[in-house]
Amino acid sequence: MPYSHHSHSGQFCAHAQDTLEGVVKTAIEKNMQVFALTEHMPREKQDMYPEEIAAGYSEEKLFDIFSDYYIEALRLQRKYASELNILIGTEIDWIRPSSKNFIENLFTTFQLQLFVGSVHHVHGIPIDFTAELFQEARQTSGGSDEGLFEDYFDLQHDMLEALKPPIVGHFDLIRLKSDDPDLSFVEMQGVWRKIRRNLAFIASYGGTLELNSAALRKGLEEPYPNAEISKEFLALGGQFTLSDDSHGIDHVGSYYRDLLRFAGKVGITQITFFEKGSATQDCQLPEVTAKTTPLSQLQSHPFFASCRAT
């Protein structure tokens, strides 16, 4: 029953490690039930990361990489069908309104089963890559973390309205490189108002927030989203899923024991997961079924005894 809905590999992501098949085999070895493959979508040239620029990538190269990923994902899905429920998807990057054209083209070209809706850039600047780039984005927002947070959640709202992603990726990623990544958003009235607006919209269309263990892996005290956001979404009737946001075999299922402890602490009692099958009434994806598992059932599963903890 363990699962992850967000993953990457070094084969198709320049800042990850290991082959996609190696990541899949690790998920099988750890007895995962569902594992979503969600390599990054192609992006415009102006939005490439430093390592992609250094490698001389073009927009066409990024699209070719994604095409190769899709072919390999189909092969792995067939090869390991009896051992793992593999979903083929992508993590979309919403950067500006023109991102929608790239995303729609992607969905037309490839038959994807799932997508994670994420924001990694504000003002066209990556906010989770380096402290220097985060500071550049912050200066563009007026020089304060609070101003950048507001701009981030406004951009996220644009993405939510345009795409209604079934899974919203690392909802509060913006805090990663901030002066205090374990801060309280509630104390920032303008920021908190935008957070509540976004959460209410996600709940209104039946979207799911991922509990993302990558924040714990990177040294933060709480996963994405943090406790106050998780409690707010729970009060709205929102649903949560699990993601390791793995960037290689060492990350598969990492910090999942901590993730479940966090879920219980904030009052989450049900975890949503997706698997291949006819869509349920409350799921917008035509090839997958949304189901739920009691948190207590997950906590008793032997998988979690083998997961890396802090």
Side-chain angles (χ1 to χ4, degrees), residues 100-309:
K100 187 176 182 181
N101 297 329
F102 267 66
I103 294 164
E104 289 177 343
N105 180 49
L106 202 68
F107 292 167
T108 300
T109 306
F110 303 98
Q111 191 173 353
L112 301 171
Q113 297 168 319
L114 188 73
F115 73 97
V116 177
S118 299
V119 173
H120 298 96
H121 300 66
V122 181
H123 308 302
I125 304 166
I127 48 82
D128 65 324
F129 198 73
T130 66
E132 291 75 18
L133 286 170
F134 179 88
Q135 291 167 11
E136 182 182 343
R138 180 168 59 192
Q139 285 303 120
T140 308
S141 288
S144 70
D145 280 355
E146 188 168 353
L148 180 57
F149 293 166
E150 291 199 21
D151 289 346
Y152 170 86
F153 287 111
D154 278 342
L155 190 63
Q156 184 184 70
H157 189 255
D158 292 343
M159 181 268 294
L160 295 171
E161 286 196 315
L163 302 176
K164 296 183 174 65
I167 298 174
V168 180
H170 34 59
F171 180 89
D172 52 347
L173 177 68
I174 190 63
R175 62 189 171 96
L176 176 63
K177 300 293 184 180
S178 67
D179 290 340
D180 181 7
D182 298 307
L183 83 172
S184 170
F185 289 111
V186 175
E187 298 175 1
M188 303 177 181
Q189 293 185 4
V191 176
W192 186 242
R193 184 165 54 250
K194 294 175 188 294
I195 287 173
R196 294 184 67 215
R197 172 200 62 193
N198 291 9
L199 294 174
F201 186 78
I202 296 166
S204 73
Y205 74 79
T208 301
L209 285 188
E210 63 170 11
L211 294 174
N212 186 316
S213 66
L216 303 175
R217 188 175 77 234
K218 295 178 181 181
L220 277 63
E221 292 181 0
E222 296 177 334
Y224 309 120
N226 69 9
E228 61 192 12
I229 293 173
S230 296
K231 290 177 180 178
E232 181 71 20
F233 193 54
L234 192 62
L236 293 169
Q239 54 195 14
F240 298 84
T241 193
L242 302 181
S243 294
D244 56 30
D245 197 355
S246 53
H247 281 63
I249 60 177
D250 287 346
H251 299 161
V252 175
S254 65
Y255 293 88
Y256 261 31
R257 275 189 289 172
D258 301 272
L259 201 61
L260 289 195
R261 281 197 292 267
F262 171 85
K265 181 180 177 181
V266 300
I268 296 169
T269 59
Q270 298 280 335
I271 297 293
T272 296
F273 67 98
F274 299 87
E275 63 181 16
K276 287 181 291 184
S278 299
T280 54
Q281 185 175 2
D282 59 349
C283 178
Q284 69 185 82
L285 301 167
E287 294 189 13
V288 301
T289 299
K291 298 182 178 180
T292 59
T293 301
L295 182 67
S296 59
Q297 191 173 347
L298 280 171
Q299 290 169 327
S300 64
H301 194 279
F303 165 87
F304 293 97
S306 67
C307 292
R308 180 186 304 166

